[in-house]
Amino acid sequence: MEDYKPPDLPSPFNNTTPPPTLLTQGAEAHLYKTTSLNPSNPAALKIRPSKPYRHPILDRRLTRQRILQEARCLAKLVREGVSVPALLALDWEGHGGEEGGWGGAWLMMEWIEGDVVRVVLEKWEAWMKNNQASLDESQIEREEAQVRGLLKKMGAAIGALHKAGVVHGDLTTSNLMLRPFAGADGAGAESVSTEGDVVLIDFGLASQSAQDEDRAVDLYVLERAIGSTHPRSEPLFDELLLGYRESYKGAPSALKRLEDVRMRGRKRSMLG
């Protein structure tokens, strides 16, 4: 099987030293690590390449609409003090809008150090599985308290997001990052550190909304994601809802709607 070759990079990223490093690729976008202004400033570059199977006019319109929506959500959240990457630069015209140009769109964001929450929880659950036999009840409680604290911070971050009038649209533990505190050394070999700030990332499906239904769906998607990928953390999900409730005054109505969304989800599961 041939190695995947991503689309050509747009200007000016096709002529930088060192070149951008491809981190992840999705159906709609590619994420690179690059630099901003000088080599000592790391940055995240998200590129939406043009889709050759779409009509060129429709493709340009959809690409522009989606990149602008993501940029507007990020800019609004930064103004509101929500923990998200800062927006550094943007091109929605595709190579400056030149005739016959590159055709895609890109945005550059602040680089966030740390692991995605998915990795943090996976490491913690693996560590607990390997060490549970040697832990007494008080040690298990201390370890679970760490994750309770992390889930509560996740809930607070989502509460701030919804308070700002934005819904994420794809909340999973892969779209939340744990940025270590400055100077933190981590937990070492004895445990897995959950210290740091929770940062929301990847707003490709985000939108501005004041609907409790949309907020409840955000929470439900995350709840299902945790249930399917982090079985040991799933029983602690109420801690996330507590952090959400404490950070967002509109939480009661959103959480009430969450019950309705859960009911619909259970019915769909029963009916296949």
Side-chain angles (χ1 to χ4, degrees):
M1 180 179 291
E2 294 183 3
D3 292 337
Y4 172 76
K5 184 179 184 304
D8 292 338
L9 291 165
S11 176
F13 306 105
N14 56 359
N15 193 31
T16 59
T17 304
T21 302
L22 179 63
L23 301 178
T24 61
Q25 60 192 36
E28 294 294 328
H30 296 69
L31 182 67
Y32 294 80
K33 183 175 183 180
T34 185
T35 58
S36 174
L37 300 181
N38 67 67
S40 64
N41 288 336
L45 175 67
K46 184 173 185 178
I47 293 177
R48 284 186 176 270
S50 61
K51 305 293 184 183
Y53 56 82
R54 289 197 295 229
H55 187 281
I57 295 175
L58 175 62
D59 179 64
R60 186 174 291 274
R61 183 178 299 166
L62 289 174
T63 302
R64 173 176 176 163
Q65 175 186 341
R66 289 170 181 170
I67 206 83
L68 283 174
Q69 179 168 279
E70 182 170 2
R72 286 173 181 139
C73 287
L74 279 173
K76 178 179 176 64
L77 292 171
V78 169
R79 288 197 306 269
E80 297 289 337
V82 183
S83 187
V84 298
L87 181 64
L88 303 178
L90 170 70
D91 177 13
W92 63 86
E93 292 290 355
H95 200 51
E98 298 174 7
E99 186 66 30
W102 174 68
W106 58 263
L107 58 81
M108 183 187 289
M109 299 164 286
E110 172 191 7
W111 178 258
I112 305 297
E113 294 290 347
D115 288 327
V116 293
V117 170
R118 174 183 55 79
V119 170
V120 176
L121 292 178
E122 285 175 351
K123 288 180 178 178
W124 178 78
E125 293 195 357
W127 188 89
M128 289 293 290
K129 182 179 180 180
N130 293 334
N131 293 276
Q132 187 163 1
S134 62
L135 299 176
D136 59 33
E137 187 172 336
S138 64
Q139 289 173 314
I140 292 174
E141 287 180 358
R142 283 198 300 271
E143 287 297 326
E144 290 188 347
Q146 279 200 89
V147 174
R148 289 179 189 276
L150 174 58
L151 289 168
K152 192 172 182 179
K153 287 188 290 189
M154 291 162 60
I158 298 165
L161 172 77
H162 289 174
K163 182 181 178 182
V166 175
V167 292
H168 189 279
D170 188 25
L171 267 181
T172 69
T173 52
S174 293
N175 288 334
L176 295 118
M177 291 192 69
L178 184 64
R179 176 167 53 191
F181 295 134
D185 295 326
E190 295 184 356
S191 185
V192 176
S193 175
T194 58
E195 294 298 313
D197 295 319
V198 171
V199 182
L200 293 147
I201 62 171
D202 195 354
F203 287 83
L205 296 177
S207 60
Q208 299 187 43
S209 173
Q211 301 299 315
D212 285 329
E213 174 75 13
D214 295 333
R215 294 165 179 154
V217 170
D218 254 2
L219 294 169
Y220 180 70
V221 169
L222 181 57
E223 182 178 34
R224 291 295 298 268
I226 290 176
S228 63
T229 56
H230 309 292
R232 190 175 190 112
S233 306
E234 182 184 15
L236 310 178
F237 186 76
D238 282 348
E239 205 69 32
L240 185 147
L241 298 181
L242 176 60
Y244 181 76
R245 190 179 292 111
E246 290 180 351
S247 67
Y248 174 43
K249 289 183 179 179
S253 57
L255 293 176
K256 184 177 180 181
R257 184 59 62 91
L258 175 61
E259 292 298 325
D260 297 334
V261 174
R262 284 169 170 166
M263 185 68 70
R264 296 202 302 269
R266 284 194 290 267
K267 286 181 178 178
R268 280 196 294 269
S269 297
M270 291 171 60
L271 296 173

